[in-house]
Structures are given as structure tokens and as C-alpha cells.
Amino acid sequence: MKHTGIARRAAIRIIFASLVFTMGACCVAAALYALERQSHLLSTICLVVSLVLGAVWMLFAVFTIYFFRDPEPNSPSGPGLVVSPGHGKVDAVGQITEAQFMGGPCHRISTFLSVIDVHVQNAPVAGKIVFFKATAGQFLSALKPESGVHNENVLLGFASAESPGEKIGVRLIAGVLARRIVPFVQMGDELQRGDRMSLIQFGSRCDLYLPLHYKIKVKPGDKVVGSQTVMAAKS
């Protein structure tokens, strides 16, 4: 499976960096203890600070491993199906005009990814990446579906492998905490339905754009699983 292990390696880098920082802080505390070891109060404070920092780092490491979990994609088979590109909760379904890639009116399904959701995204259809645009922006709360208009985002455009000439778009949207979007793909890459395609770190949003002839299979409030939940199908 393409791009296996990228999220895990990102977690290891973050954990290692936080460990170096924590060890540095503990060394400072130890140095203060050595200089002022005759002061019982300061010695106690230094010891407590070291223990607290160690405990905080362990909790952070466990959370980071959990946050960057990356389950194996398991997409349903069948013609004309579009699966969820993200793991989270659908909070907006409707029609909009998306001019950059879709070129006009289309369906939009917007999914909010909380900090406890999986943050690896998957290809909604089999196809080729024919559009790739990263747009700088703000880091407003991703809780609001309209954050995609103002926030930093990456728009990926798929040329469907099943239906020549058909476009499917995915917009990866940063949030207050999600300040880094990490695409695994580039222009010209060919993906199968469910393949890993990106990672957004710490809380975000994912919008799916579909042609109007697709029949939407989800509604606001539905929990969706990336690469598995059928979001729409050809009518």
C-alpha cells in the first residue's frame, strides 16, 4: 500500500524533538539543584519540576502515537462509489460553486476532524492527480465549515479513472491547531480508491467536491471513516 508509515515517522520525529526539549529542561533543573543543593526547598522544587516534565512528556508521547495512528485502508468495491477522504463527522452537505478545479456548481461534503480522529486522508476515487494548489491563509477554527474560504488549504483534483473527463476534488483545510498540511502526492500521481494521500496535523477539515449527478449518501451528523464510508454514488 502506498505511503505506509509516513504518519508513524512524523510521530517519531515529534516525540524525539519533545524528548530533547524535556531532557534539556531536566538538565537545567539538575544544574540548579547541584548549585543550590544546600537549600532543601530549591532541591525539592527541582526534583518536582523534573518529575512533572517527565510525566508530561510521557503523556504527550502516548497522545502523539495515538494521534498519528494510520489504519490500513479497506475500501468497498463497486463502480461509481466515492469514499470518504477523511475520518470525522460530516457537518455540511450542499451545493456550492467551486471555480478553481470543478469549474462551476458542484456538491460539497464537509467533514470536521477533531483532535481524536485519524488525520491521514485517503483518495476518494481511483484516478490521477491533475490539479494541486496550496493556498496560504489564516488559521481560524476548523469547527466552522466556511473556514475553507479563509484558512490555509491544499486543493487536490482527481481525474476519475472510472469515468474519463470526470472531476473529483478534495480540499485539505488547516485549523487553529492544524498548522501543517503534508501531502503525500504530487501532480501526475495515480492512486487507487482508498490510497493514503495526505496528513493534517492536529484538528482540521476536509471538503469533498463532486459533480451534481452524484447521489449523496451521507448527511450532517454522520460519522465517517476514511477510505471506507461511501459518501456518494453515481445516480
Side-chain angles (χ1 to χ4, degrees):
M1 184 65 70
K2 287 184 178 181
H3 312 302
T4 301
I6 294 180
R8 188 180 305 112
R9 291 194 291 273
I12 292 173
R13 287 194 296 270
I14 291 173
I15 291 172
F16 179 75
S18 64
L19 176 60
V20 171
F21 175 82
T22 302
M23 290 180 65
C26 289
C27 288
V28 171
L32 289 173
Y33 170 73
L35 290 172
E36 301 290 344
R37 59 180 177 272
Q38 293 180 351
S39 170
H40 178 71
L41 176 60
L42 184 57
S43 299
T44 302
I45 292 174
C46 291
L47 177 61
V48 170
V49 168
S50 297
L51 292 175
V52 169
L53 286 174
V56 169
W57 177 81
M58 291 183 66
L59 289 173
F60 177 77
V62 170
F63 170 75
T64 301
I65 292 171
Y66 175 76
F67 177 86
F68 284 92
R69 65 197 186 281
D70 183 12
E72 282 298 316
N74 183 24
S75 294
S77 58
L81 300 180
V82 179
V83 298
S84 177
H87 304 248
K89 182 179 180 180
V90 174
D91 61 358
V93 177
Q95 294 185 14
I96 67 165
T97 297
E98 201 295 305
Q100 287 184 305
F101 175 65
M102 300 299 290
C106 62
H107 290 298
R108 181 188 69 154
I109 306 174
S110 191
T111 302
F112 174 69
L113 289 64
S114 74
V115 293
I116 61 173
D117 287 312
V118 173
H119 275 64
V120 172
Q121 289 77 52
N122 306 88
V125 294
K128 184 177 182 178
I129 301 293
V130 295
F131 186 90
F132 186 118
K133 183 175 182 180
T135 303
Q138 303 178 54
F139 296 98
L140 304 177
S141 173
L143 283 168
K144 299 181 178 180
E146 59 269 24
S147 61
V149 178
H150 306 288
N151 283 20
E152 183 167 311
N153 67 87
V154 173
L155 178 58
L156 301 175
F158 288 79
S160 173
E162 289 186 4
S163 303
E166 191 168 83
K167 298 178 179 180
I168 306 290
V170 177
R171 190 182 299 274
L172 311 169
I173 303 165
V176 174
L177 296 177
R179 291 174 175 258
R180 190 180 181 203
I181 301 171
V182 186
F184 301 163
V185 297
Q186 56 188 355
M187 283 285 289
D189 283 358
E190 295 187 2
L191 303 176
Q192 296 301 311
R193 183 192 298 159
D195 278 355
R196 298 173 179 89
M197 64 179 188
S198 57
L199 167 70
I200 312 177
Q201 295 181 7
F202 300 113
S204 52
R205 178 171 293 279
C206 186
D207 283 359
L208 174 65
Y209 303 123
L210 301 167
L212 293 177
H213 60 268
Y214 274 80
K215 184 176 181 179
I216 305 302
K217 300 290 187 180
V218 294
K219 62 185 183 301
D222 286 353
K223 291 287 291 183
V224 295
V225 178
S227 82
Q228 296 184 30
T229 304
V230 175
M231 305 289 269
K234 281 192 175 182
S235 56

